[in-house]
Amino acid sequence: MNVTIVKNEEQLKDAYEVRMKVFVDEQKVPAEEEIDQFEDTATHFVVYDLEKPIGAGRLRQLDGFGKIERICIEADYRDKGVGKLLMEAIEIEGKELGFTAFKLNAQIQATGFYKKLGYEVTSGEFLDAGIPHVTMKKSEKH
């Protein structure tokens, strides 16, 4: 498994493919909500198992935070450490970009995963694309 920072159209296509499979096909997020106005300014990441894209995520700047978004791992690869590998790569890149704190909106069922990585819940529950979420943050002190 390796995490790649997207540098070309083919890799971006791979990231979108995983996101569509997980969010649109599996979780029934409307396709028009999955791709948004921040795609062109975000740093995208893809996790590959050899040549096969199996995970994706993105990072952008928001209110002084590194905002981590669209974290997804294909079902067959969950609970195998792939998500942690992806998050670590995103945080490393974020620190190189100068971020000292990160935030993300986590689906409720994923909060335990993010807590293990040092994130803390900082909001009440809200719906995003019809799915319950909370905002979570992590600062450099962790």
Side-chain angles (χ1 to χ4, degrees), residues 115-131:
K115 283 179 180 176
K116 286 182 193 163
L117 298 176
Y119 287 80
E120 298 173 356
V121 174
T122 60
S123 78
E125 194 174 302
F126 60 92
L127 289 179
D128 186 2
I131 299 169

PDB file of all heavy atoms in Angstrom, residues 115-131:
ATOM      1  N   LYS A 115     -10.675   9.425  16.841  1.00  0.00           N
ATOM      2  CA  LYS A 115     -10.230   9.624  18.231  1.00  0.00           C
ATOM      3  C   LYS A 115      -8.903   8.908  18.480  1.00  0.00           C
ATOM      4  O   LYS A 115      -8.021   9.434  19.158  1.00  0.00           O
ATOM      5  CB  LYS A 115     -11.298   9.137  19.219  1.00  0.00           C
ATOM      6  CG  LYS A 115     -12.451  10.105  19.369  1.00  0.00           C
ATOM      7  CD  LYS A 115     -13.498   9.580  20.348  1.00  0.00           C
ATOM      8  CE  LYS A 115     -14.643  10.572  20.463  1.00  0.00           C
ATOM      9  NZ  LYS A 115     -15.725  10.050  21.328  1.00  0.00           N
ATOM     10  N   LYS A 116      -8.747   7.707  17.914  1.00  0.00           N
ATOM     11  CA  LYS A 116      -7.491   6.963  18.066  1.00  0.00           C
ATOM     12  C   LYS A 116      -6.314   7.720  17.442  1.00  0.00           C
ATOM     13  O   LYS A 116      -5.169   7.508  17.832  1.00  0.00           O
ATOM     14  CB  LYS A 116      -7.593   5.582  17.408  1.00  0.00           C
ATOM     15  CG  LYS A 116      -8.430   4.603  18.179  1.00  0.00           C
ATOM     16  CD  LYS A 116      -8.433   3.257  17.469  1.00  0.00           C
ATOM     17  CE  LYS A 116      -9.510   2.353  18.026  1.00  0.00           C
ATOM     18  NZ  LYS A 116      -9.820   1.237  17.135  1.00  0.00           N
ATOM     19  N   LEU A 117      -6.603   8.590  16.493  1.00  0.00           N
ATOM     20  CA  LEU A 117      -5.561   9.387  15.830  1.00  0.00           C
ATOM     21  C   LEU A 117      -5.349  10.745  16.502  1.00  0.00           C
ATOM     22  O   LEU A 117      -4.596  11.573  16.003  1.00  0.00           O
ATOM     23  CB  LEU A 117      -5.915   9.591  14.347  1.00  0.00           C
ATOM     24  CG  LEU A 117      -6.008   8.310  13.511  1.00  0.00           C
ATOM     25  CD1 LEU A 117      -6.455   8.638  12.095  1.00  0.00           C
ATOM     26  CD2 LEU A 117      -4.684   7.560  13.498  1.00  0.00           C
ATOM     27  N   GLY A 118      -6.044  10.970  17.635  1.00  0.00           N
ATOM     28  CA  GLY A 118      -5.839  12.199  18.393  1.00  0.00           C
ATOM     29  C   GLY A 118      -6.838  13.306  18.142  1.00  0.00           C
ATOM     30  O   GLY A 118      -6.666  14.419  18.635  1.00  0.00           O
ATOM     31  N   TYR A 119      -7.892  13.030  17.406  1.00  0.00           N
ATOM     32  CA  TYR A 119      -8.915  14.047  17.136  1.00  0.00           C
ATOM     33  C   TYR A 119      -9.946  14.058  18.251  1.00  0.00           C
ATOM     34  O   TYR A 119     -10.253  13.019  18.839  1.00  0.00           O
ATOM     35  CB  TYR A 119      -9.596  13.775  15.782  1.00  0.00           C
ATOM     36  CG  TYR A 119      -8.694  14.113  14.613  1.00  0.00           C
ATOM     37  CD1 TYR A 119      -7.702  13.234  14.205  1.00  0.00           C
ATOM     38  CD2 TYR A 119      -8.822  15.326  13.948  1.00  0.00           C
ATOM     39  CE1 TYR A 119      -6.851  13.552  13.160  1.00  0.00           C
ATOM     40  CE2 TYR A 119      -7.978  15.653  12.901  1.00  0.00           C
ATOM     41  CZ  TYR A 119      -6.997  14.761  12.509  1.00  0.00           C
ATOM     42  OH  TYR A 119      -6.155  15.086  11.484  1.00  0.00           O
ATOM     43  N   GLU A 120     -10.490  15.248  18.524  1.00  0.00           N
ATOM     44  CA  GLU A 120     -11.514  15.423  19.553  1.00  0.00           C
ATOM     45  C   GLU A 120     -12.767  16.024  18.934  1.00  0.00           C
ATOM     46  O   GLU A 120     -12.675  16.922  18.089  1.00  0.00           O
ATOM     47  CB  GLU A 120     -11.000  16.371  20.643  1.00  0.00           C
ATOM     48  CG  GLU A 120      -9.776  15.850  21.371  1.00  0.00           C
ATOM     49  CD  GLU A 120      -9.175  16.877  22.331  1.00  0.00           C
ATOM     50  OE1 GLU A 120      -9.666  18.029  22.375  1.00  0.00           O
ATOM     51  OE2 GLU A 120      -8.214  16.514  23.023  1.00  0.00           O
ATOM     52  N   VAL A 121     -13.919  15.556  19.382  1.00  0.00           N
ATOM     53  CA  VAL A 121     -15.198  16.085  18.902  1.00  0.00           C
ATOM     54  C   VAL A 121     -15.357  17.509  19.412  1.00  0.00           C
ATOM     55  O   VAL A 121     -15.178  17.773  20.605  1.00  0.00           O
ATOM     56  CB  VAL A 121     -16.371  15.204  19.365  1.00  0.00           C
ATOM     57  CG1 VAL A 121     -17.711  15.837  18.979  1.00  0.00           C
ATOM     58  CG2 VAL A 121     -16.243  13.796  18.792  1.00  0.00           C
ATOM     59  N   THR A 122     -15.683  18.442  18.509  1.00  0.00           N
ATOM     60  CA  THR A 122     -15.822  19.851  18.896  1.00  0.00           C
ATOM     61  C   THR A 122     -17.166  20.447  18.480  1.00  0.00           C
ATOM     62  O   THR A 122     -17.334  21.658  18.514  1.00  0.00           O
ATOM     63  CB  THR A 122     -14.683  20.692  18.271  1.00  0.00           C
ATOM     64  OG1 THR A 122     -14.742  20.576  16.844  1.00  0.00           O
ATOM     65  CG2 THR A 122     -13.315  20.247  18.785  1.00  0.00           C
ATOM     66  N   SER A 123     -18.111  19.605  18.096  1.00  0.00           N
ATOM     67  CA  SER A 123     -19.427  20.124  17.704  1.00  0.00           C
ATOM     68  C   SER A 123     -20.505  19.132  18.107  1.00  0.00           C
ATOM     69  O   SER A 123     -20.203  17.983  18.439  1.00  0.00           O
ATOM     70  CB  SER A 123     -19.487  20.344  16.180  1.00  0.00           C
ATOM     71  OG  SER A 123     -19.689  19.102  15.509  1.00  0.00           O
ATOM     72  N   GLY A 124     -21.727  19.592  18.007  1.00  0.00           N
ATOM     73  CA  GLY A 124     -22.850  18.680  18.135  1.00  0.00           C
ATOM     74  C   GLY A 124     -23.029  17.944  16.817  1.00  0.00           C
ATOM     75  O   GLY A 124     -22.350  18.218  15.828  1.00  0.00           O
ATOM     76  N   GLU A 125     -23.970  17.041  16.810  1.00  0.00           N
ATOM     77  CA  GLU A 125     -24.246  16.255  15.607  1.00  0.00           C
ATOM     78  C   GLU A 125     -24.988  17.100  14.575  1.00  0.00           C
ATOM     79  O   GLU A 125     -25.839  17.920  14.921  1.00  0.00           O
ATOM     80  CB  GLU A 125     -25.090  15.049  16.018  1.00  0.00           C
ATOM     81  CG  GLU A 125     -25.180  13.970  14.978  1.00  0.00           C
ATOM     82  CD  GLU A 125     -25.898  12.737  15.501  1.00  0.00           C
ATOM     83  OE1 GLU A 125     -25.446  12.150  16.514  1.00  0.00           O
ATOM     84  OE2 GLU A 125     -26.919  12.371  14.889  1.00  0.00           O
ATOM     85  N   PHE A 126     -24.652  16.898  13.293  1.00  0.00           N
ATOM     86  CA  PHE A 126     -25.343  17.574  12.199  1.00  0.00           C
ATOM     87  C   PHE A 126     -25.400  16.635  11.002  1.00  0.00           C
ATOM     88  O   PHE A 126     -24.647  15.653  10.930  1.00  0.00           O
ATOM     89  CB  PHE A 126     -24.659  18.898  11.833  1.00  0.00           C
ATOM     90  CG  PHE A 126     -23.229  18.740  11.381  1.00  0.00           C
ATOM     91  CD1 PHE A 126     -22.908  18.593  10.041  1.00  0.00           C
ATOM     92  CD2 PHE A 126     -22.189  18.739  12.314  1.00  0.00           C
ATOM     93  CE1 PHE A 126     -21.586  18.433   9.639  1.00  0.00           C
ATOM     94  CE2 PHE A 126     -20.866  18.596  11.914  1.00  0.00           C
ATOM     95  CZ  PHE A 126     -20.566  18.440  10.575  1.00  0.00           C
ATOM     96  N   LEU A 127     -26.291  16.926  10.066  1.00  0.00           N
ATOM     97  CA  LEU A 127     -26.418  16.110   8.867  1.00  0.00           C
ATOM     98  C   LEU A 127     -25.625  16.729   7.724  1.00  0.00           C
ATOM     99  O   LEU A 127     -25.659  17.935   7.500  1.00  0.00           O
ATOM    100  CB  LEU A 127     -27.882  15.992   8.441  1.00  0.00           C
ATOM    101  CG  LEU A 127     -28.786  15.137   9.322  1.00  0.00           C
ATOM    102  CD1 LEU A 127     -30.210  15.140   8.770  1.00  0.00           C
ATOM    103  CD2 LEU A 127     -28.262  13.718   9.446  1.00  0.00           C
ATOM    104  N   ASP A 128     -24.898  15.884   7.006  1.00  0.00           N
ATOM    105  CA  ASP A 128     -24.205  16.277   5.781  1.00  0.00           C
ATOM    106  C   ASP A 128     -24.537  15.192   4.767  1.00  0.00           C
ATOM    107  O   ASP A 128     -24.269  14.010   5.021  1.00  0.00           O
ATOM    108  CB  ASP A 128     -22.693  16.372   6.014  1.00  0.00           C
ATOM    109  CG  ASP A 128     -21.945  16.910   4.803  1.00  0.00           C
ATOM    110  OD1 ASP A 128     -22.594  17.246   3.795  1.00  0.00           O
ATOM    111  OD2 ASP A 128     -20.705  16.988   4.867  1.00  0.00           O
ATOM    112  N   ALA A 129     -25.157  15.573   3.669  1.00  0.00           N
ATOM    113  CA  ALA A 129     -25.614  14.623   2.648  1.00  0.00           C
ATOM    114  C   ALA A 129     -26.503  13.545   3.276  1.00  0.00           C
ATOM    115  O   ALA A 129     -26.462  12.378   2.891  1.00  0.00           O
ATOM    116  CB  ALA A 129     -24.433  13.999   1.907  1.00  0.00           C
ATOM    117  N   GLY A 130     -27.285  13.944   4.288  1.00  0.00           N
ATOM    118  CA  GLY A 130     -28.207  13.030   4.935  1.00  0.00           C
ATOM    119  C   GLY A 130     -27.570  12.067   5.923  1.00  0.00           C
ATOM    120  O   GLY A 130     -28.231  11.188   6.460  1.00  0.00           O
ATOM    121  N   ILE A 131     -26.269  12.233   6.192  1.00  0.00           N
ATOM    122  CA  ILE A 131     -25.532  11.334   7.082  1.00  0.00           C
ATOM    123  C   ILE A 131     -25.115  12.107   8.332  1.00  0.00           C
ATOM    124  O   ILE A 131     -24.561  13.204   8.221  1.00  0.00           O
ATOM    125  CB  ILE A 131     -24.281  10.769   6.361  1.00  0.00           C
ATOM    126  CG1 ILE A 131     -24.701   9.972   5.111  1.00  0.00           C
ATOM    127  CG2 ILE A 131     -23.463   9.889   7.303  1.00  0.00           C
ATOM    128  CD1 ILE A 131     -23.554   9.610   4.193  1.00  0.00           C
TER     129      ILE A 131
END
